[in-house]
Amino acid sequence: MKKNRIKSLLLVGCLLTITCTAIVYASKSGPFRLWSPPVISGKNGVVTLSGNLTQDKVLFGTDGMAALALTLTADEVFDLNRGDANHVDMVIVLDRSGSMNGKKIDDAKRAALSLLSSLSAADRFGLVTYSDGVQRCSGLIKITPANRKRLETIIRSIAAGGGTNLGAGLQEGIEVLLSSRINGNTRKVILISDGLANRGITDPTSLGNMAAISMEKTFAVSTVGVGSDFNEQLMTRIADRGAGNYYYLENPNLFAEVFQKEFNNTRAAVATSVEVRIPLTNGLSVVDGSGYPIQVKGNHAIVHPGNLLSGQSKKIFLTLRVPTHREQTFAIKGINAHYRYKDSSYTVNLDDAFQLACVKDQQEVYSSIDKSEWEEKVVKEDINRLREEVATDIKKGSKKSALRRIEEYFQAQRSVNAVVASPKVATSLEKDLGGLRDMVEDTFQGAPQEVEQKQKKNSKALQYEGYSGRRSGK
């Protein structure tokens, strides 16, 4: 929690520093000069990696924050409309605790039956359920007519009752995959829960580490949170560490849509076990990477953005920090992306260096901004990070903190945009922030019990909107 608070303060500090610079620049200069820094790119196999700085100068004596936009693009390898895709190994790990009783468990069972109908004889399916304990209902088996019928009978017989041993369910689901012979299929575990982990392993770090083995063993873990009582931070952590996706379902009748989307994504996965490596030299650090988990190993920061689908592009905004105690230029070089494609490993290198200078001239800093890249960062990255932070405030019951955070963001970005003059950013500041303020105000109106329910619902919805927005790909 302390680490997240420090990160938030650093990012706010970055905005405030830019704001001060903007005010000075706006008072001393004419119209903003459109400038685009060089794009550096490389390709190996089916993946292209490209990047450019949103600005190539930082101000002396400030926090030294700047953003590097990296884009990963996979070739159009599959034609899904013609059935050209991966075969799939999929394991469903279903919460059957007492709180799932009724519509939730019924909708989940219908969705699993619907998914079965989409699987071919070359696909394999496994099923694990958990409550106080865990049950392996089926190992990973091919979807023959006989196996399909047996699985349908098993699914229909699932009944809810007991506590939530989420850790045991996750571990068993992973073991179903790992204990099965690898046959070239693309592998996925989907973990479903509607409540708090209250049996067995409950520590979020331990559960996240459990899913992290997916990178080494070449599979992914996605998570689905249902209703208003589960821990969205835990489910997000498991999905991020498992290189998968997180979904929030207020209404359980959307189970089938999520299962089908995960099946289609797994079929279309081209580059798996993707990781981006950034050398940490000359005091450089990576503060954030579009919300994706960052590990520091030796002198590298490693970001895990999940699988790349056929024809997909993912843009990651890396928030970098460099020392600003003296004027100097930092050569940021050696960035690469590592991935697997068809059981082989590939590395895409960016051979040229990004040049980021620390200068004393405030006008130089603002003249170095790439307007189009900056405005995309604001409307995709910054506003969605704000949504995640406000969601945390709402969950804690901190109305004043949420409104103060929104106002600080508004003032900072408005000052910058007074120089850059982006219509997209102006619209975002008016509409998006207006909607955020209204949500915060509405959440804390009403009787205490009503407010408590709105806190749960709105914090989850807002956190998911921010999470999805930061990680969206074309």
PDB file of all heavy atoms in Angstrom, residues 142 243 274 331 472:
ATOM      1  N   LYS A 142      -9.670 -34.363 -24.430  1.00  0.00           N
ATOM      2  CA  LYS A 142     -10.136 -33.953 -25.752  1.00  0.00           C
ATOM      3  C   LYS A 142     -11.656 -33.945 -25.791  1.00  0.00           C
ATOM      4  O   LYS A 142     -12.315 -34.755 -25.130  1.00  0.00           O
ATOM      5  CB  LYS A 142      -9.585 -34.902 -26.821  1.00  0.00           C
ATOM      6  CG  LYS A 142      -8.102 -34.723 -27.093  1.00  0.00           C
ATOM      7  CD  LYS A 142      -7.655 -35.574 -28.281  1.00  0.00           C
ATOM      8  CE  LYS A 142      -6.198 -35.312 -28.621  1.00  0.00           C
ATOM      9  NZ  LYS A 142      -5.748 -36.114 -29.795  1.00  0.00           N
ATOM     10  N   ALA A 243      -0.204 -13.141 -16.817  1.00  0.00           N
ATOM     11  CA  ALA A 243      -0.161 -12.721 -18.230  1.00  0.00           C
ATOM     12  C   ALA A 243      -1.503 -12.909 -18.925  1.00  0.00           C
ATOM     13  O   ALA A 243      -1.560 -13.162 -20.129  1.00  0.00           O
ATOM     14  CB  ALA A 243       0.936 -13.477 -18.982  1.00  0.00           C
ATOM     15  N   VAL A 274       5.185 -12.869 -23.486  1.00  0.00           N
ATOM     16  CA  VAL A 274       5.832 -11.635 -23.931  1.00  0.00           C
ATOM     17  C   VAL A 274       6.393 -10.871 -22.726  1.00  0.00           C
ATOM     18  O   VAL A 274       5.720 -10.716 -21.711  1.00  0.00           O
ATOM     19  CB  VAL A 274       4.841 -10.736 -24.688  1.00  0.00           C
ATOM     20  CG1 VAL A 274       5.517  -9.446 -25.143  1.00  0.00           C
ATOM     21  CG2 VAL A 274       4.236 -11.477 -25.878  1.00  0.00           C
ATOM     22  N   ALA A 331      21.297   8.331 -22.768  1.00  0.00           N
ATOM     23  CA  ALA A 331      21.072   7.464 -23.924  1.00  0.00           C
ATOM     24  C   ALA A 331      20.365   6.200 -23.426  1.00  0.00           C
ATOM     25  O   ALA A 331      20.970   5.364 -22.748  1.00  0.00           O
ATOM     26  CB  ALA A 331      22.388   7.120 -24.593  1.00  0.00           C
ATOM     27  N   SER A 472      -5.931  -1.446 -23.234  1.00  0.00           N
ATOM     28  CA  SER A 472      -6.633  -1.714 -24.488  1.00  0.00           C
ATOM     29  C   SER A 472      -5.657  -1.773 -25.654  1.00  0.00           C
ATOM     30  O   SER A 472      -4.694  -1.009 -25.725  1.00  0.00           O
ATOM     31  CB  SER A 472      -7.696  -0.640 -24.754  1.00  0.00           C
ATOM     32  OG  SER A 472      -7.088   0.628 -24.873  1.00  0.00           O
TER      33      SER A 472
END
